[in-house]
Amino acid sequence: MDRTVTPPPTQGRNTPPLHVSGTSHVNLSQEARHSAAFSTTSSVRIQQQQQLRDDQLWDSSDDLPEPVLPWMRSESRQSLGGVSQSSVDAASLHVVKRFVPDTIKKKQRWTLHKWWLLLSNTVLFCMGLGILLAALFTFFKLYQRADVVIVGERVILNLILATGCICLFSALFGYVGIMLNNRPLLAIYNLLLWVCFGMIAAIGYTAYRRNKWNIDGKLSYQWHYDLTSDGRSRIQANLHCCGYKMFSDFHENSNKCFPRTLLPGCRFKYQQFTVSFLTYTYIAAFSCIPLILFVLFSGLLCANHINRKFGKNLPPKLYRLDYQGIVAGTPTGSSLNLATQGLQQRRI
């Protein structure tokens, strides 16, 4: 049966009537119902796939990928025994903020320990320079009695020269370590300070021991058995004397030392000068002991604080956390097993 559908009239033109059959209307309704059912089934299927994907992603029973731990060796992580170390509860994960270093370097100020270390090293430099200059002035005979010291006190003079060189070298080595903020160099510098301390103490002890006991007998034995003819003649020329006690006592002939000379023997002058030289030497050496101790303890206390990085790097291996301690946030303690000398996994 045909029905005529009359549309509403429009102005200005005539529209022909539309003729729709009943069979066509039923087909259109069925197609609409099928398309709606298909869209509903597709949306349900998509939701199920999304739910399955989420379950696979956040299932706590599955293993999580192992994070990159730069402070642990790969073979140490692979050699761990027991349960898989990456099997953790997803709910126990913690969010860690990534550290972004500053691209612009800030102007760094010297620490108080660095200034103090620089001051103590300057004291060592001045002390070493003074000791070295005293030895060089003697070897180059830049004062009146230098020749007597070179001949009569050669051992102490060599000790003074060696001490000055070591102290000056240690001070220059310390300046390098301070300016470069290099702790290994400062560790060697501290070892050199002990050598400087021992050398200064050796100078004082040698001079004190020589001056304290029987200086007259020591000088008499030296004049008669240790000194050469050239040494005796140099002492006679410098002290203006002839022979040890008198002309006939181991004299060396010269234009001023002859049988009828009026010059006295060298015993009194040589002994007086030697006693005064040894006294000044051990007093000066023992006076340097507090200074070298000040430098020594300053180096020991301030070397690790040459900059502000002390204690801010990676901790030692004994105090590092293992994988589970980092991921799960549990206080598992150290990752180093002292019994087996290796890493061992801990169970949560």
Side-chain angles (χ1 to χ4, degrees):
M1 179 178 183
D2 297 336
R3 289 182 299 176
T4 302
V5 180
T6 305
T10 57
Q11 298 179 0
R13 61 179 181 179
N14 297 324
T15 304
L18 297 174
H19 298 278
V20 180
S21 62
T23 306
S24 300
H25 180 72
V26 173
N27 292 335
L28 290 175
S29 300
Q30 292 179 354
E31 290 179 358
R33 285 195 300 270
H34 284 302
S35 61
F38 179 75
S39 61
T40 304
T41 306
S42 300
S43 62
V44 171
R45 187 179 302 169
I46 291 174
Q47 291 179 0
Q48 291 178 354
Q49 292 179 356
Q50 183 68 26
Q51 184 66 26
L52 181 60
R53 188 180 301 111
D54 294 340
D55 293 341
Q56 292 178 355
L57 181 61
W58 298 104
D59 189 7
S60 60
S61 62
D62 295 336
D63 292 343
L64 293 176
E66 181 181 356
V68 178
L69 302 178
W71 53 85
M72 294 178 62
R73 296 181 179 178
S74 59
E75 58 270 11
S76 298
R77 295 196 299 268
Q78 295 174 1
S79 62
L80 298 178
V83 188
S84 175
Q85 59 175 329
S86 60
S87 178
V88 294
D89 189 5
S92 63
L93 292 177
H94 296 271
V95 178
V96 180
K97 184 178 179 181
R98 185 171 63 91
F99 173 73
V100 180
D102 297 334
T103 56
I104 302 177
K105 292 184 179 180
K106 296 181 180 180
K107 184 178 180 181
Q108 296 183 355
R109 296 179 179 271
W110 283 17
T111 61
L112 180 61
H113 301 86
K114 186 171 184 176
W115 284 109
W116 190 266
L117 191 59
L118 184 66
L119 174 64
S120 64
N121 192 65
T122 304
V123 172
L124 178 65
F125 178 81
C126 296
M127 187 166 53
L129 184 62
I131 295 173
L132 182 61
L133 288 178
L136 293 179
F137 285 169
T138 304
F139 277 111
F140 287 109
K141 303 178 183 179
L142 297 180
Y143 57 94
Q144 185 179 5
R145 303 301 183 195
D147 207 10
V148 180
V149 177
I150 294 174
V151 175
E153 304 299 334
R154 191 60 181 247
V155 175
I156 295 179
L157 187 59
N158 291 334
L159 276 176
I160 294 173
L161 179 62
T163 303
C165 293
I166 293 175
C167 290
L168 196 60
F169 173 76
S170 300
L172 295 176
F173 195 84
Y175 278 128
V176 174
I178 292 171
M179 294 305 171
L180 296 180
N181 296 335
N182 195 311
R183 289 187 178 87
L185 293 182
L186 291 177
I188 301 175
Y189 166 72
N190 284 315
L191 293 177
L192 292 175
L193 291 180
W194 287 102
V195 179
C196 296
F197 172 75
M199 294 296 292
I200 293 175
I203 294 174
Y205 174 73
T206 304
Y208 179 79
R209 186 186 63 179
R210 181 171 175 79
N211 184 48
K212 184 66 177 178
W213 294 288
N214 193 16
I215 185 64
D216 189 11
K218 292 176 182 178
L219 294 180
S220 177
Y221 183 86
Q222 181 191 41
W223 183 276
H224 292 92
Y225 299 103
D226 291 341
L227 296 180
T228 61
S229 60
D230 179 67
R232 286 191 290 267
S233 63
R234 290 167 66 180
I235 293 176
Q236 288 179 168
N238 191 275
L239 296 178
H240 303 285
C241 56
C242 183
Y244 186 67
K245 293 180 180 180
M246 58 186 67
F247 167 76
S248 60
D249 188 7
F250 277 80
H251 70 283
E252 295 297 331
N253 292 325
S254 63
N255 56 352
K256 293 182 179 181
C257 186
F258 48 90
R260 295 183 179 181
T261 183
L262 299 178
L263 294 177
C266 297
R267 176 184 176 183
F268 178 76
K269 289 184 177 182
Y270 186 41
Q271 182 175 345
Q272 290 297 318
F273 173 77
T274 303
V275 168
S276 62
F277 171 77
L278 293 176
T279 303
Y280 291 144
T281 300
Y282 75 73
I283 289 176
F286 289 149
S287 299
C288 291
I289 294 295
L291 295 177
I292 192 62
L293 287 177
F294 163 74
V295 177
L296 181 60
F297 285 107
S298 297
L300 289 174
L301 296 176
C302 299
N304 276 332
H305 304 280
I306 194 66
N307 52 19
R308 292 179 174 86
K309 293 183 179 180
F310 181 73
K312 297 181 180 179
N313 293 326
L314 285 176
K317 192 175 182 180
L318 180 63
Y319 302 101
R320 296 177 190 171
L321 296 176
D322 59 2
Y323 170 75
Q324 291 186 355
I326 294 297
V327 176
T330 58
T332 58
S334 172
S335 61
L336 180 63
N337 189 352
L338 297 179
T340 59
Q341 295 295 327
L343 296 175
Q344 183 176 3
Q345 184 190 8
R346 292 169 175 80
R347 302 173 184 271
I348 298 178

